[in-house]
């Protein structure tokens, strides 16, 4: 079974501002302690095909992952995929207006590739802890 994490986070920012911040996935370096650095590789506004390179911490080492936007519904939903020789990661972010703010639904899946797939159940347990730290960081960022 793949590693899966789901979280719902409230934002004090409006839906459009919240979505814009999250869709620019390089911002993950500001709120996810597991992301060491992030950059947008393609200029211009975020859209399907926009790529982001994140340097993520895996077992104490930096692993570069290039995420590509696969779905983009302005101000509402973005999905991104990253594939490396070790893993495949899919992140889906949905934003809905809630009063003066917004609610974020964050869904992430990681699958190990090749023979490493046997370690997916072990990864799932560790991924929950990583996800909890990221969700806490995102909640702090969206409360500002």
């Amino acid at each position: 079974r793949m590693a899966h994490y789901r979280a719902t986070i409230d934002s004090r920012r409006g839906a459009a501002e919240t979505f814009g911040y999250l869709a620019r996935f390089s911002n993950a370096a500001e709120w996810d302690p597991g992301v060491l650095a992030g950059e947008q590789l393609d200029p211009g506004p975020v859209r399907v095909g926009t790529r982001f390179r994140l340097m993520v911490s895996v077992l104490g080492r930096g692993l570069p992952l290039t995420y590509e936007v696969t779905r983009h519904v302005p101000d509402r939903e973005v999905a991104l995929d990253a594939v490396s020789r070790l893993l495949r990661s899919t992140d889906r972010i949905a934003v809905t207006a809630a009063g003066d703010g917004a609610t974020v639904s964050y869904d992430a899946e990681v699958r190990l590739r090749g023979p490493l797939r046997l370690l997916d159940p072990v990864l799932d347990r560790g991924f929950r802890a990583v996800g909890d730290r990221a969700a806490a960081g995102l909640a702090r960022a969206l409360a500002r």
Side-chain angles (χ1 to χ4, degrees):
R1 155 190 143 133
M2 78 192 105
H4 188 223
Y5 186 80
R6 207 176 256 140
T8 302
I9 299 143
D10 291 324
S11 173
R12 288 189 181 169
R13 305 175 187 194
E17 183 185 350
T18 297
F19 180 84
Y21 179 73
L22 293 173
R24 192 161 304 279
F25 205 54
S26 50
N27 287 333
E30 296 178 9
W31 52 262
D32 185 341
V35 176
L36 306 173
E39 67 176 318
Q40 183 171 335
L41 299 177
D42 303 296
V46 176
R47 60 192 176 282
V48 170
T50 300
R51 294 168 303 140
F52 299 91
R53 181 178 299 120
L54 301 187
M55 182 65 69
V56 298
S57 178
V58 177
L59 300 174
R61 298 179 54 192
L63 172 71
L65 284 177
T66 299
Y67 282 83
E68 183 172 334
V69 175
T70 57
R71 178 170 167 77
H72 185 269
V73 180
D75 299 339
R76 295 217 347 244
E77 185 182 348
V78 65
L80 305 102
D81 281 335
V83 180
S84 76
R85 54 188 187 79
L86 297 176
L87 59 85
R88 175 183 191 97
S89 178
T90 300
D91 290 58
R92 286 182 295 280
I93 304 164
V95 177
T96 52
D100 292 340
T103 300
V104 175
S105 296
Y106 201 109
D107 195 305
E109 296 174 356
V110 174
R111 279 198 174 139
L112 294 171
R113 298 184 67 198
L116 291 175
R117 279 192 313 240
L118 296 173
L119 298 175
D120 272 343
V122 175
L123 177 67
D124 187 49
R125 287 191 292 277
F127 192 52
R128 282 194 208 122
V130 168
D132 285 343
R133 286 193 297 274
L138 182 55
R140 283 191 299 274
L142 295 177
R144 292 197 289 268

